[in-house]
Amino acid sequence: MLKVAIVGYGYLGKAYHKVFEDAVIYDPFYDKSATKDDVNQCDIALVAVPTDLNEAGELDMSIVEDVVSWLETDTILIKSALQPGTVDRLVEETGKNIAVSVELIGEGTYYQPPHKYPDPRNPKIHQMIVVGGKEPARSIAAELLWSQMSPDIRIHLVSALEAEITKMAENTYGAMKVTWANVLRDVCDSYGVNFIKVHQAWSEDGRVDPMHTRSVSFNRGWNSKCYNKDVRAFAKVSKSKLLDGLIEDNERHLAMNKQQNMVGKRDKS
């Protein structure tokens, strides 16, 4: 078994600590953090650091770049969302063995049937993995993950660029479904018909996947750590009017929440 280090101990890092219980943990903000030297004694480092939006509207790669600069493990597996082209650039600049894996966990607190959807908190029970990069880094990383998961999972080995785009597409598609459901609710409200009835009739069609299409009157739109940055970054690289409109509609739906909260406070006063 390869000796594993996890760099970054936020939501994502803690999720992978469930998978690799003996991993060396490094995070400057974690009071039990190992040292960089401890990390570099490991065979592979899982990088799970934040990649927030920068002023240019792209995912900020500065923390990822800093971590990669000091890592000396044989293999580096980046689990953070990346701006397309990041891994290929870092491999060219450093000569290090770097792979990237599409992350499927999330911070949703609602129930998701584990036989249908990836568990939002425990990657060990996911039914698929996507790993991008060049060999041997790509297969080393895939085998490591596979060794801790069910033998029957589906494994997609792709290029680093394909994996980076896949991750952006994953979050943007989920956000698009949320916005679509809220637009449908707008239409229902404008005609004075019951959204639940329309939603249930529409989603009964076998060609429809109803996940992410719940809309309730008191909680409109999407507002999550991942969607907020990844959708905007993907809209920028895609130059798509569809995604620009998606973001604009979501801002409108979020504003409805604020208006309703203000009305509720006035009613209670």
Side-chain angles (χ1 to χ4, degrees):
M1 179 67 177
L2 298 178
K3 188 173 182 181
V4 178
I6 297 173
V7 181
Y9 203 53
Y11 189 86
L12 180 56
K14 289 174 182 175
Y16 274 87
H17 200 186
K18 296 176 183 178
V19 180
F20 302 103
E21 296 179 358
D22 296 328
V24 172
I25 307 298
Y26 175 83
D27 188 318
F29 300 100
Y30 177 49
D31 58 5
K32 298 179 182 179
S33 175
T35 66
K36 292 180 180 179
D37 288 338
D38 295 329
V39 170
N40 284 326
Q41 296 300 312
C42 297
D43 300 300
I44 184 168
L46 273 63
V47 179
V49 298
T51 54
D52 297 325
L53 280 183
N54 59 24
E55 293 181 357
E58 299 176 342
L59 297 179
D60 187 348
M61 298 293 95
S62 60
I63 302 178
V64 170
E65 292 166 349
D66 176 66
V67 169
V68 169
S69 72
W70 60 260
L71 280 174
E72 298 174 3
T73 53
D74 291 338
T75 305
I76 299 169
L77 174 59
I78 301 176
K79 297 297 295 183
S80 309
L82 301 177
Q83 194 70 17
T86 298
V87 167
D88 288 340
R89 174 173 59 82
L90 290 175
V91 169
E92 184 176 351
E93 291 174 355
T94 67
K96 296 179 180 180
N97 295 315
I98 307 173
V100 56
S101 179
V102 176
E103 189 43 59
L104 302 175
I105 68 164
E107 297 191 28
T109 57
Y110 49 86
Y111 174 74
Q112 298 183 43
H115 65 283
K116 293 179 66 176
Y117 306 108
D119 188 284
R121 287 168 286 277
N122 185 5
K124 191 169 186 175
I125 61 176
H126 290 176
Q127 289 299 298
M128 63 168 284
I129 54 175
V130 180
V131 185
K134 296 179 180 179
E135 298 295 352
R138 180 175 64 183
S139 288
I140 290 172
E143 286 188 346
L144 175 72
L145 295 171
W146 193 15
S147 72
Q148 300 303 299
M149 302 169 73
S150 175
D152 68 343
I153 66 169
R154 304 304 300 162
I155 303 172
H156 301 274
L157 299 180
V158 298
S159 72
L161 183 57
E162 288 165 344
E164 290 161 346
I165 294 174
T166 297
K167 176 56 181 176
M168 279 189 158
E170 173 197 85
N171 278 339
T172 303
Y173 183 60
M176 186 168 64
K177 291 169 71 179
V178 173
T179 299
W180 156 249
N182 277 277
V183 169
L184 179 59
R185 187 179 193 101
D186 291 339
V187 173
C188 291
D189 290 348
S190 71
Y191 279 93
V193 300
N194 189 295
F195 167 75
I196 295 177
K197 289 182 177 180
V198 173
H199 176 277
Q200 295 294 294
W202 159 72
S203 63
E204 192 71 17
D205 187 327
R207 295 166 295 182
V208 173
D209 174 13
M211 176 55 75
H212 296 112
T213 64
R214 177 179 61 195
S215 173
V216 292
S217 60
F218 49 85
N219 188 16
R220 305 290 300 272
W222 44 267
N223 185 20
S224 78
K225 191 178 298 181
C226 292
Y227 283 8
N228 291 353
K229 65 186 183 69
D230 291 355
V231 175
R232 286 171 172 80
F234 195 49
K236 184 176 178 63
V237 300
S238 70
K239 302 178 182 177
S240 168
K241 292 182 180 179
L242 170 67
L243 298 188
D244 289 340
L246 169 71
I247 294 168
E248 184 178 336
D249 274 337
N250 187 63
E251 292 296 334
R252 178 170 58 83
H253 292 136
L254 293 179
M256 291 179 179
N257 294 335
K258 293 181 181 179
Q259 292 172 355
Q260 188 174 58
N261 289 337
M262 290 176 63
V263 171
K265 289 179 180 178
R266 286 199 301 268
D267 291 344
K268 291 179 181 179
S269 62

